[in-house]
Amino acid sequence: MSDAKKDLSRRGFLGAGGAALLGGMVLGALPLEGKESAGAGPGPLPKKWDETYDVVVVGTGFAGLSAAIEARLAGASVLVIDKMPVHGGNSIINGGDFAAAGNSFQKEAGVQDSPELMLKDMMKAGSYLNHPPLARLVAERSNEALEWCKTYIGAKFTRLNFHGGHSVKRSVQTYNQSGSGLVNPLLDKAKSLGVKVVLRTKMTRLIAGKEGRIVGLEVRTGYKWPDEASGTPGFIKARRGLILAAGGFSQNVALRQIHDPRITAKFESTNHPGATGEAILAACSAGAMDVQMDWIQLGPWTSPDEPGFGHGPQVCERIVGYGLMVDPANGKRFFKETGNRKERADAIIAIGHPVIIVGDSYAIGKQVVPKVLGKAMEVGVVKKFDTLEALAAEYQVPVQPFLEQVARWNGFVQKAKDDDFDCKLFPDSKTTATAPFYAMRLWPRVHHTMGGLVVNAEAQVIGFDMKPIKGLYAAGEITGGVHGAVRLGSVAMADCVVNGRIAGKNAGGEKAWS
Amino acid sequence: MHPTYLKERVSPMLSSFLKRFSAASRLLLFAALIPLSQAATQAPTMTADLHKAKGVTCVDCHGNAKKKTFVAAERCLGCHGPAADLVKKTANVKPENPHDSPHWGPQMECNVCHRQHEKTVNWCNHCHAYGFKVP
């Protein structure tokens, strides 16, 4: 994989026009999901605009709503659209963990942290493919963004968690362990400020005016996902700016495979069903540059025993460093449980079949929210056993090797060092010894697309002439470069709020073109 | 099918087609169509039909609109609400209360799931495996 990454950018040698043409040809030739192409290049201005706003935002997740609020506070009239019949995209179904360097929960728990350390973690996980100014921006403003969510937006956060790949616990979780704990307060605040939010409205094409400046968009109102022929075409003028916050493309199998042919339909996704990336393609058709589209992340904490993201991840990710992960075929550990998402997912995929993670009653009791454990057990994802032997029997793990492995793991926990795989061990990690014992199966699912539209630190989208496209902004998963090769868990919420706010402030502060 | 397509293309086609046949053949054609109409009455009942059976007409939901319009939750809640009562009504549904998800709570548009003129949908099952029966 790393050799491929050293290749020149595929677009680099083509120049602006050639790249747009190639993009168009690729769209035409390949069987992309959805019957319609992602949108023709910017064509002539419409004869009539159906609606006019200062700022139009595409997407009702963390980034889109943060942007809408800041644009409104900058004095702009703001419309937010979403193609789906429900709001929130991936944000509203996520686990609610927000990485913030130097947050109040860390201070209370005596955890030492800094934006420099968070940046270091992001760059290391990202294989240094992160665009340094973008990664730095998120690390440095992460805590300010969290405080804004708490004090201005009124979202409640209650727990400090660890996520694989971070040096310390720095992820602060919403009171209900769901992104809805932030999305819904953001939506309420936006509406109270006079932001208009309309669902079932899909952007089909960006509209450019003089010198390629984005002046508005073509939409289908009354769009009934996933029927591409549904809805009525309309044109919306964006006098100051268009902000794209429409998420990634984890659910677009055809698009995934263009960038990484290994991610076939065999791999399911944790994402909401609309995460298909048409907005990215529409922006590229209007001259936006894309980057690192082949870095597509699979989450290593999902269970094959339930669909989607499910309840499993919030058990698995809480016990890494407190329990052990083994290959049921031989009862042995094979990788550090606290690794980042990519290295763990790759390790599991290399094994070729689901693995299991085991926690004893101390680990589970200490780390997992009781309601979450309850649900995970109710749906059969997490199972409980009186003995390790019974656990081994359930997953057909060879008993003796497994018990030896548990003893070996316990030895490492006792001396606070994992000689085999260098798993991070926490001050309160204990040996896996107290019944009952819990286990869940793990098999990776497509989770996040790190690549996307090229942006600068002002959330402006960059075109193939290497200059910002006037009137066009983007924030959140639709952008590329913040996370590089691998996104660390819980840094998405920080990315979305930090960059959504910047996009909103900037777009809202633009001078109207008409 | 688009309305004008029907009027401009299909009707003339149909009448010129029928003109080619004798009266006897036309009778045969007509007889052949009878099983189709029977099949129509055996088709699954749409929720709109359930409303109709209870005396709720098109106008009650769509007002005086000439074409199909989106009916927002406020309209449904006018009879089936308030939202809090709906949440209580399905509180014992297993494994989750469909009207009070941790994502949207009672804030979803009713017809995301309770489609009137097509088969109803269990939106939760895009990600979950809940065996809800959606009326």
Side-chain angles (χ1 to χ4, degrees):
Chain A
M1 180 85 138
S2 53
D3 286 336
K5 295 300 145 254
K6 288 180 190 132
D7 286 351
L8 289 171
S9 148
R10 281 177 294 287
R11 305 269 194 270
F13 61 95
L14 279 175
L21 183 64
L22 177 68
M25 281 165 59
V26 165
L27 289 176
L30 286 157
L32 294 179
E33 281 197 3
K35 298 211 175 85
E36 202 179 71
S37 75
L45 292 181
K47 292 196 183 73
K48 180 173 98 66
W49 295 98
D50 297 290
E51 291 189 78
T52 298
Y53 287 85
D54 289 327
V55 172
V56 179
V57 180
V58 180
T60 52
F62 299 129
L65 293 174
S66 298
I69 290 166
E70 290 291 359
R72 186 82 191 102
L73 292 173
S77 61
V78 182
L79 169 72
V80 186
I81 62 171
D82 198 298
K83 72 185 184 191
M84 301 301 278
V86 294
H87 69 276
N90 273 340
S91 301
I92 205 164
I93 59 170
N94 96 344
D97 279 309
F98 191 132
N103 67 64
S104 60
F105 291 84
Q106 287 178 313
K107 295 199 172 90
E108 265 174 50
V111 175
Q112 300 292 333
D113 195 11
S114 67
E116 279 308 320
L117 184 58
M118 179 168 166
L119 176 61
K120 195 154 146 255
D121 290 343
M122 288 171 70
M123 298 299 294
K124 179 159 173 241
S127 291
Y128 306 94
L129 292 176
N130 325 46
H131 293 190
L134 300 182
R136 174 172 291 281
L137 191 61
V138 172
E140 285 179 352
R141 298 209 195 171
S142 55
N143 193 47
E144 175 203 321
L146 176 66
E147 287 299 317
W148 181 77
C149 291
K150 282 155 77 184
T151 53
Y152 180 62
I153 301 299
K156 288 194 205 32
F157 294 85
T158 52
R159 255 179 85 106
L160 181 67
N161 287 327
F162 174 78
H163 268 265
H166 289 264
S167 289
V168 295
K169 289 184 182 179
R170 63 166 66 100
S171 314
V172 177
Q173 192 171 37
T174 51
Y175 77 98
N176 62 352
Q177 301 91 43
S178 171
S180 63
L182 176 58
V183 172
N184 291 332
L186 281 168
L187 183 62
D188 289 341
K189 178 62 87 174
K191 285 182 169 168
S192 75
L193 291 170
V195 169
K196 180 141 185 237
V197 180
V198 182
L199 305 180
R200 300 161 68 248
T201 302
K202 180 170 178 172
M203 174 182 76
T204 51
R205 184 166 71 91
L206 284 73
I207 298 174
K210 282 210 273 267
E211 295 158 358
R213 189 210 201 281
I214 300 304
V215 296
L217 59 162
E218 183 175 352
V219 296
R220 295 193 85 90
T221 57
Y223 168 74
K224 273 188 88 176
W225 180 89
D227 180 2
E228 293 310 310
S230 66
T232 312
F235 296 94
I236 306 179
K237 185 196 285 189
R239 297 169 67 229
R240 299 188 197 177
L242 173 64
I243 304 176
L244 303 180
F249 58 98
S250 291
Q251 289 279 25
N252 190 331
V253 177
L255 186 56
R256 277 170 11 194
Q257 287 199 258
I258 287 172
H259 295 287
D260 188 342
R262 300 169 301 173
I263 312 184
T264 64
K266 197 176 77 178
F267 287 96
E268 291 177 34
S269 172
T270 59
N271 282 210
H272 82 107
T276 42
E278 295 89 32
I280 300 174
L281 302 176
C284 291
S285 298
M289 205 188 319
D290 61 339
V291 65
Q292 294 169 357
M293 291 281 279
D294 38 9
W295 285 98
I296 298 170
Q297 179 177 86
L298 286 88
W301 17 239
T302 40
S303 164
D305 301 320
E306 62 182 343
F309 184 72
H311 305 292
Q314 302 222 46
V315 175
C316 173
E317 207 58 4
R318 297 295 91 83
I319 63 173
V320 295
Y322 293 86
L324 66 162
M325 176 172 67
V326 302
D327 176 359
N330 58 21
K332 294 205 166 112
R333 291 173 70 222
F334 57 94
F335 199 78
K336 66 179 172 194
E337 292 78 359
T338 51
N340 71 43
R341 291 168 170 186
K342 177 170 175 61
E343 48 194 8
R344 279 155 65 189
D346 282 353
I348 298 172
I349 292 171
I351 295 227
H353 52 250
V355 302
I356 57 171
I357 189 163
V358 175
D360 74 348
S361 66
Y362 165 77
I364 293 284
K366 179 133 211 319
Q367 288 298 104
V368 183
V369 173
K371 191 177 85 176
V372 169
L373 178 70
K375 288 209 194 289
M377 291 186 65
E378 204 180 293
V379 298
V381 160
V382 170
K383 294 187 156 85
K384 190 166 86 167
F385 306 91
D386 290 330
T387 63
L388 287 170
E389 287 83 347
L391 192 159
E394 170 73 24
Y395 298 102
Q396 297 172 313
V397 186
V399 181
Q400 254 331 103
F402 174 58
L403 294 177
E404 277 162 22
Q405 187 73 173
V406 174
R408 190 173 172 80
W409 160 257
N410 288 342
F412 295 148
V413 174
Q414 273 162 340
K415 65 173 186 169
K417 185 163 191 315
D418 173 12
D419 290 334
D420 281 347
F421 299 105
D422 197 29
C423 177
K424 184 185 291 299
L425 293 163
F426 298 98
D428 55 354
S429 296
K430 286 200 168 78
T431 57
T432 299
T434 316
F437 301 93
Y438 300 79
M440 64 176 278
R441 299 202 308 155
L442 301 170
W443 183 253
R445 284 205 175 128
V446 186
H447 187 64
H448 186 87
T449 48
M450 271 71 62
L453 303 177
V454 179
V455 289
N456 60 19
E458 300 297 337
Q460 295 176 299
V461 176
I462 307 299
F464 279 93
D465 59 358
M466 314 285 255
K467 298 203 187 91
I469 298 177
K470 285 201 180 65
L472 187 60
Y473 295 83
E477 191 176 355
I478 198 173
T479 67
V482 172
H483 308 286
V486 170
R487 175 172 76 73
L488 288 174
S490 73
V491 181
M493 285 181 82
D495 172 13
C496 291
V497 177
V498 168
N499 288 304
R501 293 181 66 199
I502 291 171
K505 274 201 189 94
N506 287 345
E510 286 249 26
K511 213 175 69 143
W513 67 269
S514 105
Chain B
M1 243 192 255
H2 196 275
T4 53
Y5 177 79
L6 207 55
K7 200 168 66 166
E8 286 164 10
R9 301 283 189 89
V10 177
S11 300
M13 269 167 60
L14 211 50
S15 41
S16 66
F17 177 74
L18 288 171
K19 277 196 187 100
R20 292 163 196 244
F21 288 82
S22 66
S25 314
R26 271 187 235 156
L27 199 59
L28 248 160
L29 244 169
F30 176 77
L33 290 172
I34 292 174
L36 273 179
S37 56
Q38 279 184 344
T41 55
Q42 281 156 18
T45 315
M46 295 296 145
T47 311
D49 299 320
L50 296 176
H51 276 109
K52 211 161 151 192
K54 296 273 183 166
V56 179
T57 67
C58 309
V59 177
D60 292 325
C61 295
H62 293 282
N64 290 316
K66 296 277 184 286
K67 290 203 279 204
K68 195 162 81 174
T69 58
F70 174 79
V71 179
E74 289 84 49
R75 190 65 207 87
C76 316
L77 292 174
C79 297
H80 296 280
D85 287 359
L86 270 177
V87 172
K88 275 201 213 97
K89 190 168 178 188
T90 53
N92 292 323
V93 171
K94 295 290 167 212
E96 301 289 345
N97 185 343
H99 294 125
D100 200 16
S101 73
H103 313 298
W104 300 286
Q107 306 277 355
M108 286 171 84
E109 285 292 342
C110 311
N111 54 27
V112 171
C113 294
H114 299 283
R115 314 236 167 145
Q116 298 299 308
H117 302 287
E118 57 186 278
K119 199 157 164 282
T120 57
V121 167
N122 177 352
W123 191 263
C124 306
N125 276 7
H126 284 301
C127 299
H128 297 286
Y130 301 151
F132 297 147
K133 290 187 181 48
V134 183

